[in-house]
Amino acid sequence: MSTPHRTDRPKKQIHLAAHFPGVNNTTVWSDPASGSHIEFDSFVEFAQIAERGLFDFMFLAEGLRLREQAGEIYDLDVVGRPDTFTILAALAAVTEHLGLTGTINSTFNEPYEVARQFASLDHLSDGRAAWNVVTSWDAFTGENFRRGGYLPQGERYERARTFLDAATRLWDTWKGDEILADKASGEFLSTPAPGAFEHHDSQFDISGRFNVPRSPQGRPVIFQAGDSEEGRDFAAAKADAIFSRHSHLDDGQRFYVDVKGRLERFGRRHEDLLILPAATFVLADTDAEAVELAREIRLQQVSPATAIKLLEQLWNRDLSDHDPDGPLPTVDPSENDDLIAKGRASARSHGDRLEQAERWRAISQAKGLSTRETIVEVTGRQSFIGSAETIASTIDDFVQADAADGYILVPHITPGGLAPFVDHVVPLLQERGVFRTAYEGTTLRENLGLREPTR
Amino acid sequence: MSAPTPRLRLAVALDGAGWHPAAWREPNARPGDLLKPGYWADLVREAESGLLDFVTIEDSLSIQTDAPFATEDDDRTDRVRGRLDAVLVASRIAPLTRHIGIVPTVVVTHTEPFHLSKAIATLDYVSRGRAGVRVQVAPRPRDAALFGRREFPDLSYADLRSPAGEGLLRETFAEAADYVEVLRRLWDSWEDDAEIRDVATGRFIDRDKIHYIDFEGLHFDVKGPSITPRPPQGQPVVAALAHRDRPFELVGTSADVGFVTPRTAADIASITAEIRAAQSAAGRDDETVHVFGDVVVLLDETEQGAQDRLARLNEAAGAAYESDALVFAGTPEGLADLLATWHAAGLSGFRLRPAVLPDDLRQITQRLVPELQRRGLFHDAYDAATLRGALGLPRPTSRYATTEGTPA
Ligand SMILES: Cc1cc2nc3c(=O)[nH]c(=O)nc-3n(C[C@H](O)[C@H](O)[C@H](O)COP(=O)(O)O)c2cc1C
């Protein structure tokens, strides 16, 4: 396979990161190789494999209420996860270089507290902290929090923007030269009242003194993962890196051009924002074996029971009596606003349900697929399938063709699923001269090749 | 030979360079390292080398001040200012230690019990059963302004005895009790064996073993369940510092360990009586609630040496050091005498606050502990796997458990 190359520049260096797999049907917990997703040993093993592979960072997702479907706790995927900050701080003790990235949403938190936690994590990891700012907003999740309520959907990016502005103001209150700790003169601080701030906007009226002095990176690296117009603008204005689901070539290139094209409007340069899609991989000795293995994994990921649940999510109605081995339902999706699936980041991502159902029906009819087979076909997210050679060259080609600046890999086995990639694909990328052979810097920002934050 | 009374329990309270405001100027102090992980790792390893039951890590949302009840932050440049989030410090050092309990302080007045519950549950996973939490209220304008969500009256310490002050304490401590109730319910919301990984039916969990907590209170409602499975201890240890009636009530109703501040052995009977009464009223007579005495300690080879150190520190600080707790400046042997007496008077343990770090911590681990061991008052080895175990607290069954837990 050959992809268009730009030849007027040196080869881009690829960024790689690892997503500790969690609560979705990517994770094949039923595989005998699958370990605990909650015991700390699993996180240590996962992080140390990623660090052995010289990855930029590992990533933890977040969801603040157990997911439900049709009023019942969803029980087919991995359920349960630890607290993001706590795990990342503990992992700082057992890793040396790996960036520690966590999702923390801007709706069910307050800027003072989150700024304190990230500044603390950055100190405790010697400059390896990163924050994926997400904008969850629903009342379902809100039932676990003091505010109780939620945000009107239109306000979530407004709050995210002002939240990040407030946090940034707090991080910037300490310049970094205030602590003298001069035993002889008795001056601990060079100046009175470092950390003093006032921040007033549409969401927050806060003031006082921030009590965490400036951390090694000054601020954590900022990630953004929303895909809407507003989300892309938010990333272009504020983020250092963006996650997406656009891991295929055309799709990735379109997204890349769109998002990078927005930077100038916010006074930023092309290299100020990295595009890092989430990607899965299936690796085997030969391409043919990998394709076969990928099919097996897809069937594990979409059991008959899961097929029905995924069907219900698009149709937005109870289809528990539907035969997964029969054709798609003849009844149309419900346009009801009250969703059958709750607590999913993707719950609203179906767009026009009827249109999408028609698309599924067309595919099903054209290929003669059952319900389950259709779901396997249309929800496939495996990005890179093949031998180590094939995967290495595909990733390299994609990155050189500006479909991405690198990938956040999501193995389907916890915690060891990343090891084959690290052992077999990383050396090939190194041979191609597109992946580091040692960490370049000490901080995550340095390893990502990002500039110092400006104030 | 076994001791006549149960052995006493010993914890240390870590705060910055130590509890004396001039501690950072001492020759062994590391004031430039207070924000570095290695500093905290060294302290906690030292505490573990002395077989201490647990460490607490102080915290506050607002910046440190010499006058905590003032509305404004002070502008002093001669004191330690700036600190890290205690829960994160605790998790950073947990993987580097094996036996010692780790108890960060958290402010419950402005934070979310849902977030804290999963954070402490996760600390319990990370430490394999050694997590606790010390809950603290912060009903002050300067803390509230950091969040901008609620307002508190501007009251001096003396004002706390006024009706307005009493009302404020009643409200914020009742809120703290609700908070702890939510923590505990969330820890119980997953039964121990909720994860079943039943390949035959494709079910990862048994949803009947995961429970909504449906908590409704004055300041917050929480639906649950937790997103984090039940932690190794079932319920990590909950502690609170208490100086007077409302806080004593919180200890009695909600805590596993109360830190109190007697000045004389005679204070102990009345303090423990108040706590026991609150415990009884809360229907917890059959549960162990430890009452630990807090003592600021400054130790030296000789009585005179300790007094000289204190004088030197006071001079550097520009004022005689005062504390809510007794300030003990003397020899490790003298401190052992005091602890033995107070232990006999009804305290089950002590939380020592080293005046200077690492000096007074080393005095505790290297001098005080051997002295207590000689007297048969302290253990010779870690013999429990969890913090609850070290404190003689059973591992509770989830309150929502419908069936008897299956044996491991
Ligand atoms: C790779 C990736 C990771 C994400 N991780 C999380 C997460 O951990 N928690 C969460 O609530 N949302 C997560 N999201 C969802 C997005 O942050 C965002 O809420 C969602 O895409 C809807 O926003 P939009 O309308 O701007 O697209 C993730 C999205 C992507 C693409």
Side-chain angles (χ1 to χ4, degrees), chain B residues 52-73:
Chain B
L52 301 189
D53 291 293
F54 61 92
V55 294
T56 63
I57 300 166
E58 295 301 301
D59 203 0
S60 59
L61 292 167
S62 49
I63 200 153
Q64 300 98 316
T65 171
D66 273 19
F69 283 88
T71 312
E72 301 288 317
D73 302 306

Side-chain angles (χ1 to χ4, degrees), chain A residues 59 61-62 103 132 134 136 156-157 225-228 243-245 278 345:
Chain A
F59 167 65
E62 180 196 66
T103 297
N132 179 33
V134 302
S136 327
R156 65 204 176 106
Y157 276 106
D227 202 6
S228 57
F243 291 171
S244 78
R245 295 189 210 285

Side-chain angles (χ1 to χ4, degrees), chain A residues 63 65-68 81 138 140-141 341-347:
Chain A
R65 183 150 172 199
L66 294 189
R67 304 184 308 173
E68 288 181 5
R81 52 174 126 211
D138 60 283
F140 176 73
T141 306
K342 297 196 190 297
R344 291 182 176 268
S346 61

Side-chain angles (χ1 to χ4, degrees), chain A residues 72 105 133 146 156 243 367 372 445:
Chain A
E72 290 185 314
N105 85 74
V133 187
R146 277 181 193 261
R156 65 204 176 106
F243 291 171
K367 302 195 177 179
R372 183 180 176 209
R445 192 179 296 281

Side-chain angles (χ1 to χ4, degrees), chain A residues 146, chain B residues 108-111 113 137 139 150 152 168-182 215 218-220 250:
Chain A
R146 277 181 193 261
Chain B
V108 298
T109 310
H110 301 282
T111 59
V137 303
R150 58 201 286 194
F152 286 106
L168 182 68
L169 289 181
R170 198 174 314 116
E171 180 188 329
T172 48
F173 276 92
E175 181 183 5
D178 279 1
Y179 197 109
V180 175
E181 174 70 11
V182 170
F215 180 87
L218 217 52
H219 291 278
F220 43 79
L250 178 68

